[in-house]
Amino acid sequence: MKNKNQIHNRKYLESFRKDLRNNGTTAEAFLWKQLLKSQLEGRKFRRQHSIGNYIVDFYCPKEKLIIELDGEVHNNPTAKQYDEERTKYLNSIGFTVIRFENKMVFDHLPSVLKEIKDNFRGGQ
């Protein structure tokens, strides 16, 4: 049996991760084209990666960096509270979480990519 303290890609979330990858938003697909194959300063990203009981949109293991894209569903008080608790948990175990609205990815891609790079911890 695997270590039950494992926090990455817990087996019980596998089907959810796969479903999210196969049914992602257009903003996720658009940003993924910029991140896949280590295009962004040689950093490898994963899509729909789970950490603890949460599935994050994008994860860069080398940087311990999580990128979340938010659509309209995130604009209600319940979702905002959930996102805050989730971010607080992920920060508390050593991850950096940055968020962008879906519209930002389409309208301001260069500044989104710059902010992602600005969150790299340094050197390759």
Side-chain angles (χ1 to χ4, degrees), residues 27 30-31 69 100-109 112:
F30 189 72
L31 183 57
L69 299 185
F100 300 100
E101 289 184 21
N102 287 347
K103 188 173 174 8
M104 281 284 297
V105 173
F106 294 115
D107 296 349
H108 304 286
L109 182 63
V112 167

Side-chain angles (χ1 to χ4, degrees), residues 31-90:
L31 183 57
W32 181 238
K33 286 181 181 167
Q34 307 300 313
L35 300 177
L36 59 77
K37 298 181 184 163
S38 304
Q39 293 178 79
L40 195 64
E41 294 192 3
R43 299 322 195 268
K44 181 173 178 54
F45 282 85
R46 296 184 178 139
R47 269 177 63 208
Q48 304 303 338
H49 180 87
S50 68
I51 300 172
N53 295 322
Y54 299 109
I55 300 174
V56 302
D57 292 335
F58 301 99
Y59 171 60
C60 178
K62 180 175 183 171
E63 300 294 340
K64 294 188 85 174
L65 179 63
I66 294 166
I67 302 166
E68 288 293 311
L69 299 185
D70 296 339
E72 284 300 312
V73 72
H74 292 266
N75 288 335
N76 71 66
T78 304
K80 284 185 187 297
Q81 182 178 353
Y82 174 83
D83 289 343
E84 285 174 19
E85 290 169 9
R86 180 178 194 255
T87 297
K88 198 178 294 182
Y89 165 75
L90 293 165

